[in-house]
Amino acid sequence: LSTAMLWISQRGVVAGLHYDVSHNFLTQLRGTKRVELWWPESHENLHFFPRLHRARQQSQKIQSIGQIPPNFVFDLIPGDVLYIPPYWSHRVNTTSSGSLSLSVISPSSEDFAGQRAFAVGAPLTKCQNSTTTRAVAVQVFLVHLISRLPGFESPAQAAQRLLNARYLYAFNRMEDNDLCAKNDPDAHKTARACLSPHAVIDHVDAIAKHLTTTLPPPISDIFLFDYVEDLIAWAVGPKLAAHYIRTCLDFGKLQFLDSEFQPMQHDKAIFSI
């Protein structure tokens, strides 16, 4: 279903840099506007707020945008219609004394595809006993998932990209707590005992297949980062998200034996399930 929105503004009013997940047809009815567009490949360099922030899908660093010029600039006059694709970042500036615009938005196949991927869920219902149990279960699940995605060299690289994209300027305080029992192998082994090996493998394989076959890399990466933040918030709360990403996902890519659900590398033994 489509939704129509009428925008009334005056000179100097700016809709800050953001992105939408829907198709957007913007029709200029009166006055003029300038629309700047950045394609999805620019997403990580535009530093959007974390997913669980109330300003999600909006850029944190407005003053730094000038360092990343838009890929397209359109000056709209009455009668012009501009199509803004899903996940294309854009900023809109009213350039006349008065402006009247109409946006017609409709759901996108990209958003549906991403939602289908994560509708698969995560088999964590038996891992709710404590913060450590939740944190370790999510860690094992995410390391296995990211290790199956060809667009990332390793979980550590994915974590660093997520930190640089959404936590570089804010929400990045350091903590002392050992969220994932990194220094206590016995506690880590006890915590991950809540996981079913077959369920983990089945779920991460299904999610990875959806992400790699139905979405182009820039958009699938956005969905992955959103999913990572959702699971971390469930495990330890959003305030500890940056600390969790930095300390619990700092691992190389797992290589798997075909006949077992065990990582091949000895130093990744904590991820055997």
Coordinates of all heavy atoms in Angstrom, one line a residue, residues 116-125 137 140-142 144-146 148-149 195-211 224 227 231 261 273:
R116 N 12.3 -10.9 5.7 CA 12.2 -12.4 5.6 C 13.5 -13.1 6.1 O 13.4 -14.2 6.7 CB 12.0 -12.8 4.1 CG 10.6 -12.6 3.6 CD 10.3 -13.3 2.3 NE 11.2 -12.9 1.3 CZ 10.9 -12.0 0.4 NH1 9.8 -11.2 0.5 NH2 11.8 -11.7 -0.6
A117 N 14.6 -12.5 5.9 CA 15.9 -13.1 6.3 C 15.9 -13.2 7.9 O 16.2 -14.3 8.4 CB 17.1 -12.3 5.9
F118 N 15.4 -12.2 8.5 CA 15.5 -12.2 10.0 C 14.3 -12.7 10.6 O 14.2 -12.9 11.9 CB 15.9 -10.8 10.5 CG 17.3 -10.4 10.0 CD1 17.5 -9.2 9.3 CD2 18.3 -11.3 10.1 CE1 18.7 -8.8 8.9 CE2 19.6 -10.9 9.6 CZ 19.8 -9.7 9.0
A119 N 13.2 -13.0 9.8 CA 12.1 -13.7 10.4 C 12.5 -15.2 10.7 O 11.7 -15.8 11.5 CB 10.9 -13.7 9.4
V120 N 13.6 -15.6 10.2 CA 14.1 -16.9 10.6 C 14.3 -17.0 12.1 O 14.1 -18.1 12.7 CB 15.4 -17.2 9.8 CG1 16.1 -18.5 10.3 CG2 15.2 -17.3 8.3
G121 N 14.7 -15.9 12.7 CA 14.9 -15.9 14.1 C 16.3 -16.5 14.6 O 17.1 -16.9 13.7
A122 N 16.4 -16.5 15.9 CA 17.7 -17.1 16.5 C 17.2 -18.0 17.6 O 16.4 -17.7 18.4 CB 18.5 -16.0 17.0
P123 N 17.8 -19.2 17.6 CA 17.4 -20.3 18.6 C 18.0 -20.0 20.0 O 18.8 -20.7 20.5 CB 18.0 -21.5 18.0 CG 19.2 -21.1 17.3 CD 18.9 -19.7 16.8
L124 N 17.5 -18.9 20.6 CA 18.1 -18.5 21.9 C 17.1 -18.6 23.1 O 17.4 -18.1 24.1 CB 18.6 -17.1 21.8 CG 19.6 -16.8 20.6 CD1 19.9 -15.3 20.5 CD2 20.9 -17.6 20.8
T125 N 16.0 -19.3 22.9 CA 15.0 -19.3 23.9 C 15.4 -19.9 25.2 O 14.9 -19.6 26.3 CB 13.7 -19.9 23.4 OG1 14.0 -21.3 23.0 CG2 13.1 -19.1 22.3
A137 N 25.7 -16.7 24.2 CA 24.9 -17.3 23.1 C 24.8 -16.4 21.9 O 25.0 -16.9 20.8 CB 23.5 -17.6 23.7
V140 N 28.3 -16.5 20.1 CA 28.5 -17.7 19.3 C 27.6 -17.7 18.0 O 28.1 -18.0 16.9 CB 28.2 -19.0 20.1 CG1 28.2 -20.2 19.2 CG2 29.2 -19.1 21.2
F141 N 26.4 -17.3 18.1 CA 25.5 -17.2 17.0 C 26.0 -16.2 16.0 O 26.0 -16.5 14.8 CB 24.1 -16.8 17.5 CG 23.0 -16.9 16.4 CD1 22.4 -18.1 16.1 CD2 22.6 -15.7 15.7 CE1 21.4 -18.1 15.1 CE2 21.7 -15.7 14.8 CZ 21.1 -16.9 14.4
L142 N 26.4 -15.0 16.4 CA 26.8 -14.0 15.4 C 28.2 -14.4 14.8 O 28.4 -14.1 13.6 CB 26.9 -12.7 16.1 CG 25.6 -12.0 16.5 CD1 25.8 -10.7 17.2 CD2 24.8 -11.7 15.2
H144 N 29.2 -17.4 14.1 CA 28.9 -18.4 13.1 C 28.2 -17.7 11.9 O 28.5 -18.1 10.8 CB 28.0 -19.4 13.7 CG 28.8 -20.5 14.4 ND1 29.1 -21.7 13.8 CD2 29.3 -20.6 15.7 CE1 29.8 -22.5 14.7 NE2 30.0 -21.8 15.8
L145 N 27.3 -16.8 12.1 CA 26.6 -16.1 11.0 C 27.6 -15.3 10.2 O 27.6 -15.5 8.9 CB 25.5 -15.3 11.6 CG 24.8 -14.4 10.5 CD1 24.1 -15.2 9.4 CD2 23.8 -13.5 11.2
I146 N 28.3 -14.5 10.8 CA 29.2 -13.6 10.0 C 30.3 -14.4 9.3 O 30.7 -14.0 8.2 CB 29.9 -12.5 10.9 CG1 28.8 -11.6 11.5 CG2 30.9 -11.7 10.2 CD1 29.3 -10.7 12.7
R148 N 29.9 -16.9 7.7 CA 29.3 -17.5 6.5 C 29.0 -16.4 5.4 O 28.4 -16.7 4.4 CB 28.0 -18.2 6.9 CG 28.2 -19.6 7.6 CD 27.0 -20.1 8.3 NE 27.2 -21.4 8.7 CZ 27.9 -21.8 9.8 NH1 28.5 -20.9 10.5 NH2 28.0 -23.1 10.1
L149 N 29.2 -15.2 5.7 CA 28.9 -14.1 4.8 C 30.2 -13.7 4.0 O 31.2 -13.2 4.6 CB 28.4 -12.9 5.6 CG 27.1 -13.2 6.3 CD1 26.7 -11.9 7.2 CD2 25.9 -13.6 5.4
L195 N 22.9 -23.8 23.9 CA 22.6 -23.8 22.4 C 22.5 -25.2 21.9 O 23.2 -26.1 22.3 CB 23.8 -23.0 21.7 CG 23.9 -21.5 22.0 CD1 25.2 -21.0 21.5 CD2 22.7 -20.7 21.4
S196 N 21.6 -25.3 20.9 CA 21.5 -26.5 20.1 C 22.4 -26.4 18.8 O 22.1 -25.5 18.0 CB 20.1 -26.8 19.7 OG 20.0 -27.7 18.7
P197 N 23.4 -27.2 18.7 CA 24.3 -27.1 17.5 C 23.5 -27.1 16.2 O 23.7 -26.3 15.3 CB 25.2 -28.3 17.6 CG 25.2 -28.6 19.1 CD 23.9 -28.3 19.6
H198 N 22.6 -28.1 16.0 CA 21.9 -28.2 14.8 C 21.0 -27.0 14.5 O 20.9 -26.5 13.4 CB 21.0 -29.5 14.7 CG 21.8 -30.7 14.6 ND1 22.2 -31.2 13.3 CD2 22.3 -31.6 15.5 CE1 22.9 -32.3 13.5 NE2 23.0 -32.5 14.8
A199 N 20.4 -26.4 15.6 CA 19.5 -25.3 15.4 C 20.3 -24.0 15.0 O 19.9 -23.3 14.2 CB 18.8 -25.0 16.7
V200 N 21.5 -23.9 15.7 CA 22.3 -22.7 15.3 C 22.8 -22.8 13.8 O 22.6 -21.8 13.1 CB 23.6 -22.7 16.2 CG1 24.6 -21.6 15.7 CG2 23.2 -22.3 17.6
I201 N 23.2 -24.0 13.4 CA 23.7 -24.1 12.1 C 22.6 -23.9 11.1 O 22.7 -23.2 10.1 CB 24.4 -25.5 11.8 CG1 25.5 -25.7 12.8 CG2 24.8 -25.6 10.4 CD1 26.6 -24.6 12.7
D202 N 21.4 -24.5 11.3 CA 20.3 -24.3 10.4 C 19.9 -22.9 10.3 O 19.6 -22.4 9.2 CB 19.1 -25.2 10.9 CG 19.3 -26.7 10.7 OD1 20.2 -27.0 10.0 OD2 18.5 -27.4 11.3
H203 N 19.8 -22.2 11.4 CA 19.4 -20.8 11.4 C 20.4 -19.9 10.7 O 20.0 -19.0 9.9 CB 19.1 -20.3 12.8 CG 17.8 -20.7 13.4 ND1 17.6 -22.0 13.7 CD2 16.7 -20.1 13.7 CE1 16.3 -22.2 14.2 NE2 15.8 -21.0 14.2
V204 N 21.7 -20.0 11.1 CA 22.6 -19.1 10.4 C 22.8 -19.4 8.9 O 23.0 -18.5 8.1 CB 24.0 -19.1 11.1 CG1 23.9 -18.7 12.6 CG2 24.6 -20.5 11.1
D205 N 22.7 -20.7 8.5 CA 22.7 -21.0 7.1 C 21.6 -20.3 6.4 O 21.7 -19.8 5.3 CB 22.7 -22.5 6.9 CG 24.1 -23.1 7.2 OD1 25.1 -22.4 7.2 OD2 24.1 -24.4 7.3
A206 N 20.4 -20.4 7.0 CA 19.2 -19.8 6.3 C 19.3 -18.3 6.2 O 19.0 -17.7 5.1 CB 17.9 -20.2 7.1
I207 N 19.7 -17.7 7.3 CA 19.9 -16.2 7.2 C 20.9 -15.8 6.2 O 20.7 -14.8 5.4 CB 20.2 -15.7 8.6 CG1 19.0 -15.9 9.6 CG2 20.5 -14.2 8.6 CD1 19.3 -15.6 11.0
A208 N 22.1 -16.5 6.3 CA 23.2 -16.1 5.3 C 22.7 -16.3 3.9 O 23.0 -15.5 3.0 CB 24.4 -17.0 5.6
K209 N 21.9 -17.3 3.6 CA 21.4 -17.6 2.2 C 20.5 -16.4 1.8 O 20.6 -15.9 0.7 CB 20.7 -18.9 2.2 CG 20.2 -19.2 0.8 CD 19.5 -20.6 0.7 CE 19.0 -20.9 -0.7 NZ 18.3 -22.2 -0.7
H210 N 19.6 -16.0 2.7 CA 18.7 -14.9 2.4 C 19.5 -13.6 2.0 O 19.2 -12.9 1.1 CB 17.7 -14.7 3.5 CG 16.5 -15.5 3.5 ND1 15.5 -15.4 2.5 CD2 16.1 -16.5 4.3 CE1 14.6 -16.3 2.8 NE2 14.9 -16.9 3.9
L211 N 20.5 -13.3 2.9 CA 21.2 -12.1 2.8 C 22.0 -12.1 1.5 O 22.2 -11.0 0.9 CB 22.1 -11.9 4.0 CG 21.4 -11.5 5.3 CD1 22.4 -11.3 6.4 CD2 20.6 -10.2 5.1
L224 N 22.4 -6.5 8.2 CA 23.2 -7.3 9.2 C 23.5 -6.5 10.4 O 23.4 -6.9 11.5 CB 24.5 -7.8 8.5 CG 25.4 -8.5 9.5 CD1 24.8 -9.8 9.9 CD2 26.8 -8.7 8.9
Y227 N 20.6 -6.2 12.6 CA 20.3 -7.5 13.3 C 21.3 -7.7 14.4 O 20.9 -8.1 15.5 CB 20.4 -8.6 12.3 CG 20.0 -9.9 12.8 CD1 18.7 -10.1 13.3 CD2 20.9 -11.0 12.7 CE1 18.3 -11.4 13.7 CE2 20.5 -12.3 13.2 CZ 19.2 -12.5 13.7 OH 18.8 -13.7 14.1
L231 N 20.2 -8.1 18.5 CA 20.5 -9.3 19.3 C 21.4 -8.8 20.5 O 21.2 -9.3 21.6 CB 21.3 -10.3 18.5 CG 20.5 -11.1 17.5 CD1 21.4 -12.1 16.8 CD2 19.3 -11.8 18.2
F261 N 30.1 -30.0 13.3 CA 29.7 -28.6 13.6 C 30.8 -27.9 14.4 O 30.5 -27.3 15.4 CB 28.4 -28.5 14.3 CG 27.2 -29.1 13.5 CD1 26.4 -30.1 14.0 CD2 27.0 -28.6 12.2 CE1 25.4 -30.6 13.3 CE2 25.9 -29.2 11.5 CZ 25.1 -30.2 12.0
I273 N 30.2 -26.0 19.2 CA 28.9 -26.1 19.8 C 28.3 -27.5 19.6 O 28.8 -28.3 18.8 CB 27.9 -25.1 19.3 CG1 27.8 -25.1 17.8 CG2 28.2 -23.7 19.8 CD1 26.8 -24.1 17.2

